[in-house]
Amino acid sequence: MAVQHLTAARTSGTSLRRAASAAAAAPVTASGAALATARIALGSVFLWAFADKTFGLGYSTADGRAWLNGVSPTKGFLSHVAAGPLRGTFHAMAGQAWADWMFMLGLLGIGLALVGGVALRVTAAGGTALLALMWAAEWPPARHLTDGGASGSTNPLLDYHVVYALLLIALAVTGAGATWGLARRWAALPVVRDHAWLR
């Protein structure tokens, strides 16, 4: 029994070393570099949003209004949703601790996965769901808000949420974590080998 565990451990270690060697030996193509650049840039967008909301860096989150100061990262935005069929739902979610934690962990997890180039399939699914909710909260199809004012929407369907979601899906489908990322090492892990959806 101990011999089997030792053999399995050696095999796993060998697989990881082979994956690392393959990653080091693989040439970087122009398309691979372009996709990796897009992946890292998009990941940085999510990580910046997390950092700004957590620490109040003075951009979209003013100093003293950070999550670390006890201010909800969802309350301000969701409580002011003024259009769309989910307006009441978003108002009810605004400021709820579970919504704050899910939103912030989503930003952090998506950002880290993209920058690291790992778990891109899960990231594409989770990120698309988060972006779809954010799209629904802004509700671009509306020309007017509930108070009658102009919504400011420039396109009824396509906005940056949709573009980001499409990019997330493209990065997952093309295996964009292989260049300048840890995708090969990640894929060599036994749990990932056994469950392809974790890639």
Side-chain angles (χ1 to χ4, degrees):
M1 195 69 152
V3 174
Q4 288 176 338
H5 288 302
L6 184 58
T7 303
R10 285 181 181 162
T11 303
S12 177
T14 302
S15 297
L16 289 174
R17 284 191 294 279
R18 283 184 188 153
S21 298
V28 175
T29 64
S31 59
L35 286 169
T37 301
R39 187 195 84 233
I40 294 166
L42 185 57
S44 299
V45 168
F46 282 92
L47 288 178
W48 176 261
F50 172 80
D52 188 48
K53 292 178 186 314
T54 301
F55 302 107
L57 301 177
Y59 288 84
S60 65
T61 306
D63 185 30
R65 303 285 303 159
W67 195 27
L68 288 179
N69 297 117
V71 178
S72 167
T74 63
K75 187 171 184 178
F77 177 68
L78 292 181
S79 64
H80 291 96
V81 171
L86 298 177
R87 187 168 57 99
T89 302
F90 288 128
H91 288 179
M93 290 169 53
Q96 298 290 326
W98 65 267
D100 291 345
W101 277 96
M102 286 186 70
F103 177 62
M104 295 300 284
L105 290 176
L107 292 177
L108 179 62
I110 292 165
L112 289 175
L114 285 170
V115 170
V118 299
L120 294 184
R121 293 178 183 179
V122 175
T123 301
T128 297
L130 176 63
L131 289 163
L133 287 169
M134 293 170 74
W135 181 89
E138 291 190 11
W139 199 247
R143 291 183 182 177
H144 299 92
L145 304 176
T146 52
D147 65 2
S151 69
S153 176
T154 58
N155 187 309
L157 297 175
L158 297 174
D159 72 348
Y160 70 97
H161 298 105
V162 177
V163 174
Y164 285 177
L166 292 172
L167 180 55
L168 277 172
I169 293 166
L171 292 171
V173 169
T174 58
T179 301
W180 305 335
L182 302 171
R184 289 185 179 94
R185 290 184 184 184
W186 177 259
L189 294 173
V191 67
V192 179
R193 276 199 321 262
D194 295 341
H195 302 91
W197 60 272
L198 289 173
R199 291 186 180 180

